Amino acid sequence: MEIPEWKRVLWKKQPFPDNYVGESFLRVRKKCKKLSLSEALYGASAVTHELCSCLGLVVIFFGVSEGNLDSSVVLTLTAVLGILGYLITKDQLATSARDDAKIACFYVVLIGCVSPVIKSLTRSVATDSINACTTLLLLLRLVLHDYGTSVAIVNPTLSHNVGLFASVCLASRLESDLDVFTLMTVAVVLFALLPTFRRYCRSGLGRAWNVLVTGVVIMVTGCGVALYAPHLLPLMALALVLCNCVIPALYISCQDHKQNIYGPWDEAQIEER
């Protein structure tokens, strides 16, 4: 008599003891998308962009605080670039132009009103403590930022908030209200508007254009660091090498070792047909 194949079902009576399990009880299979090295490097470019945004904020802070950058020029250039980016991506936005104008006016009035408060906010705090707090907040933003992957650690709201809080810490060490207003405006553009523009470019442009844009961003950020914060140049070089070379190569070498074990303890899911 041929022994029927054991099936992992509860609704069907089978000629096996209650404690019997077949070979298919443990389903072991690899559940990971195989990526090539070029795909891993391309995916790391999103982290590179956000890293350059954080460094750009620090560079502008050093340039303005040391008098090497004119706040009015930086503010004008930021406004022009922000408006151009909005005009390019406005077709992809769910809000109307009138609502966006209201939000922009609200931000301008809010930042203008709180600039005198921010300027004296951390007067009693040591500069070393402010620098350490800003560094940790920017690192936290890099960890929590949405790079286009659905993982549990991603939190766009918290990432945006800690980025602005880091900007407040830096702006509190500036001397004039205009400097504070300029740095906070740059922070809003870098941490609120620029990620939307980058997602539009990654989805609307080809891979070659995104690689070219990444190269331009790295070049511009590197020039700014070399001119206004040269002590951060080794740190930037190390971060770029780790982000764009070491970590993608390590991921490619380790992805073959990833496997998940599935069994009756798994959460029930409705499979698409």
Side-chain angles (χ1 to χ4, degrees), residues 206-220:
R207 178 170 296 190
W209 278 104
N210 281 290
V211 172
L212 178 61
V213 170
T214 303
V216 172
V217 169
I218 294 175
M219 185 180 301
V220 172

Side-chain angles (χ1 to χ4, degrees), residues 244-257:
N244 295 280
C245 299
V246 177
I247 294 179
L250 184 63
Y251 176 82
I252 294 299
S253 63
C254 294
Q255 67 175 347
D256 291 334
H257 302 285

